[in-house]
Amino acid sequence: ALGATLAPPLIAFLGSRFHWRTVFLFTGSLGLLWVIPWLWLYRRPAEHPRLTAEERKLAAAEAEATDVALPSEGRWRYILHRRETWLLMIGRMITDPVWYFYLFWFPKYLTDARHLTLFELGRIAWIVYLAADLGCILGGAFSGFLIKRGCCPARSRLLVMGVAFLLPISPLINFAASPLMAVCIAAIVAFAHLSWQTSLSALIVDLYPKPLAGTVFGLVSAGSGLGRLISTNLVGRAVTYYSYAPLFIAMGFLHPLAYILITCFRKKEP
């Protein structure tokens, strides 16, 4: 999300001064350049020279705690027979298209429907993605605060995921009096979604044994990819043959639907 915050002004700057190919070349090269400091600075935790003795002891205890027996019925059978696996997959499939829309289509909406120039887009579009950054941080921090106050970890994530009910303000973008007001409403949507997504992802760690967390996370992320696969075609058709208006209306109700599914059909803690 931080990268998405930096992208609009950076792309507007490059696009207004250089050929459009320069934008792709520059942004695409950043990932390759990142490899250099990564290889130079990264160390396995046990080998890192700045690790204290106390931290080494904690890391060793964590590794030992992770080395637990897998469920007797087998990894995949256990994962696929748990109701929560399918609920989390469906939750990501339903709601992640909203983020993909705001990440990839919302700037186009601002230029197509609000008639912003590339320079004007670079001046205000970053607000949406800064709000998404804050959603990542504050959503996770608030659930951590609830846990410290004695709340069950899974319940704390679900309480934060209640931000789903902020999403129905999305259709108001259609009636915003100015591009800036539309961006501010979109910023609230982005904040709520990233708080939701961070909490939903943390549920995996809360609900599954640690040796299975990576596998479950991969399956849940596959649900996200499937949602993107379906929504990209639908969004493209809606924009081409209708307008952006029905998209903002539809996306206002996906998160509440997913929240109701997850809270109503998951197994309750004993």
Side-chain angles (χ1 to χ4, degrees):
L2 180 59
T5 306
L6 299 174
L10 176 63
I11 291 173
F13 173 80
L14 293 173
S16 62
R17 287 167 174 77
F18 304 100
H19 196 276
W20 64 267
R21 289 187 177 88
T22 304
V23 177
F24 283 87
L25 180 63
F26 182 84
T27 55
S29 299
L30 291 177
L32 295 175
L33 293 174
W34 168 245
V35 173
I36 298 172
W38 172 260
L39 294 176
W40 181 32
L41 297 173
Y42 173 75
R43 298 289 186 278
R44 292 180 176 82
E47 302 171 4
H48 203 288
R50 295 179 60 186
L51 207 66
T52 66
E54 183 179 354
E55 289 169 332
R56 291 180 194 279
K57 184 177 179 181
L58 184 63
E62 178 71 15
E64 186 175 330
T66 302
D67 188 21
V68 298
L70 293 176
S72 58
E73 62 267 42
R75 174 189 297 264
W76 286 102
R77 185 177 179 84
Y78 173 81
I79 291 173
L80 295 177
H81 276 70
R82 284 198 63 167
R83 184 185 304 171
E84 292 89 343
T85 304
W86 298 100
L87 288 174
L88 294 175
M89 285 179 65
I90 293 170
R92 287 290 298 269
M93 184 179 71
I94 292 174
T95 60
D96 273 22
V98 176
W99 174 237
Y100 290 130
F101 173 82
Y102 280 94
L103 195 58
F104 300 115
W105 287 90
F106 189 70
K108 184 170 174 57
Y109 161 78
L110 292 175
T111 56
D112 289 352
R114 296 288 178 163
H115 310 296
L116 296 189
T117 65
L118 185 61
F119 175 75
E120 292 169 332
L121 181 69
R123 277 178 37 183
I124 65 173
W126 60 269
I127 297 172
V128 176
Y129 309 111
L130 178 61
D133 289 322
L134 295 175
C136 290
I137 297 169
L138 296 180
F142 187 63
S143 64
F145 169 78
L146 292 175
I147 292 170
K148 289 181 180 178
R149 297 293 295 268
C151 185
C152 167
R155 178 169 172 75
S156 75
R157 317 298 183 194
L158 290 169
L159 288 172
V160 174
M161 288 167 65
V163 297
F165 294 97
L166 286 176
L167 271 293
I169 71 168
S170 176
L172 297 179
I173 293 174
N174 293 317
F175 309 103
S178 67
L180 181 59
M181 185 179 294
V183 165
C184 289
I185 297 171
I188 296 173
V189 171
F191 174 91
H193 173 77
L194 267 296
S195 296
W196 159 279
Q197 188 185 76
T198 299
S199 300
L200 188 150
S201 299
L203 271 174
I204 297 171
V205 181
D206 298 330
L207 297 175
Y208 292 85
K210 288 184 179 181
L212 302 182
T215 303
V216 177
F217 197 95
L219 285 172
V220 173
S221 297
S224 169
L226 180 59
R228 181 179 180 181
L229 178 70
I230 297 170
S231 67
T232 298
N233 182 271
L234 294 178
V235 170
R237 287 178 176 272
V239 171
T240 301
Y241 298 110
Y242 301 99
S243 69
Y244 288 92
L247 294 173
F248 288 120
I249 294 172
M251 292 184 182
F253 299 95
L254 296 177
H255 284 73
L257 173 62
Y259 185 84
I260 291 169
L261 285 174
I262 291 173
T263 54
C264 289
F265 292 100
R266 77 183 186 92
K267 291 182 179 178
K268 307 298 182 184
E269 293 90 1

